[in-house]
């Protein structure tokens, strides 16, 4: 477990269409968000972050797509944690239907690992997709991926959190010129698809507060985006400076004793710890 218990921590073990899994560390243990990785991969990435699997208290699901759920059944057999998903979101996949999920309505609030967990609707081509806001003692983490637009509920769920994890899936020109067939491009671009860099940047401008310290660009497409493009788009809109010419991270310095805002991208292959 992390040594400093006064703040919440976010560990993005993997983010992208080949598998998603994140962990929030709270005062009462760990909460896993989605699990689309093999058990071995989750264990090795947790170990790299100094996290112990037996500290996981619960798993919450954003939605049932395979890149978010493919590892849950195997994980649950080894570590039978409490499972939470929105109503109707585990009906289509047999592997999920057979698991003892607790169901909530989007908008409901859960209490997990000593944290308040507010759920909110996102917009995706599947039943009842959700994002989460974890909060405890004035600290908060907002988390939203796999959404074609920023919903009103998502706006209030993310607003002003100290750590904001927000999808920046594709670069519009790269998607248009990339390898995906037209129907898939249309699906990604739709209101129930994925946020582009530009959409993420304008969403970030609405939800980043003066005490937001970290903005993590999530679910970056390996075919239709680059981490630096996502970071540049968000940094440009927020007035942040790139930290180097690669543009893989950016910082917004603030005056008046306010904390700086750090912008970076989560990846598919390497975990990222945000403390
Ligand atoms: Zn996904
Ligand atoms: Zn999805």
């Amino acid at each position: 477990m992390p040594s400093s218990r006064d703040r919440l921590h976010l560990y993005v073990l993997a983010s992208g269409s080949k598998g998603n899994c994140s962990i929030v560390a709270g005062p009462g243990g760990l909460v896993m968000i989605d699990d689309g990785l093999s058990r071995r991969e989750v264990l090795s990435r947790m170990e790299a972050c100094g996290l112990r699997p037996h500290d996981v208290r619960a798993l919450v699901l954003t939605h049932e797509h395979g890149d978010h759920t493919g590892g849950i059944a195997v994980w649950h057999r080894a570590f039978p944690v409490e499972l939470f998903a929105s109503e109707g979101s585990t009906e289509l996949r047999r592997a999920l239907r057979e698991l003892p999920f607790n169901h909530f309505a989007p908008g409901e609030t859960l209490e997990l690992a000593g944290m308040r967990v507010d759920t909110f609707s996102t917009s995706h081509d599947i039943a009842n997709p959700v994002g989460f806001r974890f909060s405890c003692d004035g600290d908060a983490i907002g988390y939203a991926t796999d959404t074609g637009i920023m919903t009103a509920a998502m706006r209030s769920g993310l607003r002003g959190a100290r750590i904001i994890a927000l999808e920046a899936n594709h670069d519009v020109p790269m998607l248009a010129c990339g390898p995906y067939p037209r129907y898939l491009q249309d699906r990604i671009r739709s209101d129930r698809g994925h946020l582009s860099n530009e959409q993420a940047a304008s969403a970030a401008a609405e939800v980043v507060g003066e005490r937001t310290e970290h903005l993590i660009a999530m679910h970056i497409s390996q075919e239709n985006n680059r981490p630096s493009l996502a970071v540049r788009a968000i940094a440009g809109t927020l007035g942040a400076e790139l930290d180097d010419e690669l543009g893989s991270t950016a910082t917004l310095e603030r005056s008046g004793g306010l904390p700086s805002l750090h912008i970076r991208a989560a990846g598919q292959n390497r975990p990222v710890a945000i403390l």
Side-chain angles (χ1 to χ4, degrees):
M1 289 292 292
S3 53
S4 78
R5 301 290 177 88
D6 50 338
R7 288 179 140 196
L8 304 178
H9 305 319
L10 174 66
Y11 301 85
V12 182
L13 302 189
S15 182
S17 58
K18 293 186 177 64
N20 295 272
C21 185
S22 292
I23 289 186
V24 174
L30 309 177
V31 175
M32 189 177 278
I33 307 170
D34 297 340
D35 178 11
L37 303 177
S38 71
R39 190 179 56 156
R40 194 171 62 173
E41 203 56 49
V42 173
L43 289 172
S44 86
R45 292 181 192 214
M46 284 185 78
E47 191 180 359
C49 294
L51 301 170
R52 295 195 322 221
H54 289 286
D55 290 328
V56 178
R57 301 279 173 264
L59 180 146
V60 293
L61 190 63
T62 60
H63 67 298
E64 68 149 272
H65 281 151
D67 55 321
H68 299 256
T69 58
I72 295 177
V74 170
W75 178 268
H76 191 261
R77 225 172 292 145
F79 305 102
V81 297
E82 277 205 283
L83 303 172
F84 296 85
S86 64
E87 291 163 355
S89 68
T90 54
E91 295 304 308
L92 290 181
R93 272 170 211 272
R94 212 174 96 202
L96 294 181
R97 267 202 318 268
E98 289 171 351
L99 288 169
F101 271 96
N102 300 286
H103 292 282
F104 58 84
E108 246 179 72
T109 297
L110 312 171
E111 291 284 339
L112 301 172
M115 295 175 283
R116 175 189 167 107
V117 184
D118 294 302
T119 69
F120 52 83
S121 287
T122 53
S123 176
H124 202 48
D125 53 356
I126 200 81
N128 282 342
V130 293
F132 302 102
R133 184 188 184 91
F134 299 81
S135 50
C136 180
D137 288 339
D139 196 17
I141 296 174
Y143 192 99
T145 72
D146 298 68
T147 188
I149 51 168
M150 178 156 78
T151 62
M154 178 177 155
R155 189 179 290 112
S156 39
L158 297 180
R159 187 170 272 157
R162 184 174 65 82
I163 298 172
I164 296 175
L166 175 66
E167 166 165 66
N169 175 257
H170 57 278
D171 172 68
V172 171
M174 277 185 79
L175 178 65
C177 303
Y180 283 13
R182 185 58 196 264
Y183 79 92
L184 200 50
Q185 293 187 24
D186 289 346
R187 193 212 135 217
I188 290 169
R189 265 192 293 259
S190 83
D191 282 1
R192 300 181 73 206
H194 293 277
L195 289 183
S196 69
N197 292 341
E198 291 69 22
Q199 288 175 299
S202 54
E206 290 189 64
V207 297
V208 164
E210 59 180 15
R211 301 213 163 264
T212 301
E213 295 177 19
H214 299 278
L215 193 295
I216 323 299
M218 302 284 288
H219 216 291
I220 291 177
S221 168
Q222 291 186 309
E223 288 82 13
N224 305 308
N225 206 356
R226 297 276 173 273
S228 61
L229 291 176
V231 169
R232 272 169 205 273
I234 295 167
T237 301
L238 297 180
E241 302 281 342
L242 299 179
D243 293 331
D244 56 37
E245 54 205 56
L246 296 174
S248 52
T249 60
T251 304
L252 174 65
E253 304 287 354
R254 299 183 177 112
S255 55
L258 291 170
S260 302
L261 170 70
H262 303 279
I263 302 165
R264 65 188 300 183
Q268 187 71 80
N269 301 318
R270 214 167 288 123
V272 172
I274 304 106
L275 307 177

